[in-house]
Amino acid sequence: MAATLETAEQVRAVTEQKYKYGFFTDIESDTAPKGLSEDTVRFISARKEEPEWLLEWRLKAYRHWLTMEEPNWGKLGYPPIDYQDAYYYSAPKVANKPKSLDEVDPELLRTYAKLGIPLKEQAILAGVEGAGDSPSIAVDAVFDSVSVATTFKKNLEEKGIIFCPISEAVQNHPELVKKYMGSVVPYSDNYFATLNSAVFTDGSFVYIPKGVRCPMELSTYFRINAKNTGQFERTLIIADEGSYVSYLEGCTAPQRDENQLHAAVVELITHDDAQIKYSTVQNWYPGDENGKGGIYNFVTKRGACRGKNSKISWTQVETGSAITWKYPSCILQGDNSVGEFYSVAITNNRQQADTGTKMIHIGKNTKSTIVSKGISAGKAQNTYRGLVKILPKADGARNFTQCDSLLIGDKCGAHTVPYIESRNRSARVEHEATTAKISEDQMFYCQQRGLSSEDAVSLIVNGFCKEVLKELPMEFAVEAQKLVGISLEGSVG
Amino acid sequence: MIEIKNLHVTVADKPILKGLNLSIGAGEVHAIMGPNGAGKSTLGYALAGRDGYEVTEGSVSYNGKDLLDMEPDERAAAGVFLAFQYPVEIPGVSNTTFLKSAVNSIRRARSEKELDAMEFLKLIRAKTKQLGMTDEMLKRAVNVGFSGGEKKRNEVLQMAVLDPAFCVLDETDSGLDIDALRIVADGVNALRGPDRAILVITHYQRLLDYIVPDKVHVLANGRIVRTGDKGLALELEEKGYAEFGVDEAA
């Protein structure tokens, strides 16, 4: 019940104004000197009291990054990013690490309250009434670069589940971090992932032991607060044999004129018969109507289905950011493993999104499904870019791809760039694509029934995205539906 | 209730209605008949406020208000309903969701309390039953994969749920077999009442056997050329539009 109420609150709050998350919290920050150098990398590592091997790994990444060039193959246009003109570490100043929520800076908690996240489940934390009931969401909140509090940790610990900031995992579970970090997205993977490997600050770590079904949705709310701070989280989720976890990621950022850089890495690993469901609702500040400000979001998300019969499912609703460069992918290594990608990308005004997925079929009878819904309005550009690759040993591999684009107005663009590489004759790959405009007939029909033009757009677009939205967990689905409407405000005459 | 005076409407710069006069009082049912291309559907769209249907002259007063000054959704909230000749498909949006959004938009506009899920379900179940529709049709996406008859029944369902004061039915009989026609007509007749005005636009008099109008108007070349009672429709059926100096091909 608590979760339902919170969702209702959240939805009400979300509908109140355009970008209500554009507030800035005044908290003293501990910030690294501006710019990027080996010293910055050492500073971050030292602040986090990291072991030597991790510092070495970071430095290796940094040195490699210096030899790389920023990719420019995306259908994106933006002024050159000055990597020296940013801060790479910013932590809220706290005398000691908080042991419980009570020790957390109340200013921070207020920020999260404004975000509407159920961080403070006091009753459950305090062990009072109903504490035995299985709560629905556990939250790991990332405030700028440090994860401030993790709720429900105890309940999870009883099942052997580890859910903590990755910096904590480095201290407490180094063997797991060492074994898995960089095993899906190597430090040398791509320009932004390499940058992340050098300067990542925090993020979530999840380990689900053999045979355990995680009893609640795990959730991280990312939020970029300090001025000119890049946010480089690193998330690592491991589902051991026969386990299951559903993970939610929500993102917001305060409204600023300058562009803020965000380059995250997410790695997922499933062993035999395990399943990870990863859902994202990304609502970062998209910039204003003229394209001023907004987040540059360059994210590398990849999952490895290492075990047989394992499954990784990505669901994303991308409504924010000035630039989105993101391709959540699946490496289908285990026989009979399954990869899924469900995506809604909405761009309005001057937003640009180049997003899609990669499905790499390695094992036998591997299956992948891609459903992508791109919506463009205003002067936005929206590109689906996807790769389906079938390797020689992937007998009986199957892929189904459906790419639908919806245009609102006549100044926006939708682009579909599918790549298919099949090296196995028994593989079957299907691709369907459509492009449509919201018809004047549909608009008039809705308005004649009493809907305002904005409600009509929201309804029609929600219908268009339905196949994807229904993949989201309940709590997220309602919020996502509202977001769809909000992000398209002003897109019709 | 509705007073149309000297209405001129152009579509893509082409004059379609050329000085139409029509007045319908509360509680009355009027029928407009006419050959294809006479401007029947244009009248419906102009009254509902569709983009591209430009009123160049004349006035429409609705309960004393200037209807032409209102946006399409404002007209809907004020009680104007148009049953479409070709109901529009909205993929992915269930009939229930669509109707609930419509009902609550209108209630909001009228500063009435919105219906919650239970109240709405109760309302819609009762109306669905009346029209011989199944719950399954409510779950399907708006008009997607509906047969001609189902689409028209769906229009009448929306009308019944939204409870408008002024209804325009644009060729609601087209594409219906006799059974569907009877169901639709029963639905419309159930809505007849002292506070409601209904305008039935049709090509054939067949529908008027079931929905008996108080007045029948013949529309030709953008104007009302004859007005009479139910008998006029039968006369038209017998003699054809040509007898009224109307070129069927016009």
Side-chain angles (χ1 to χ4, degrees), chain A residues 161-180:
Chain A
I161 294 169
I162 306 167
F163 178 37
C164 65
I166 200 161
S167 51
E168 217 173 288
V170 168
Q171 307 296 336
N172 301 335
H173 309 282
E175 70 299 339
L176 286 174
V177 177
K178 215 168 168 179
K179 182 173 172 191
Y180 291 105

Side-chain angles (χ1 to χ4, degrees), chain A residues 154 346 375 380 413 430:
Chain A
K154 275 231 171 69
I346 299 178
I375 298 109
E430 292 173 66

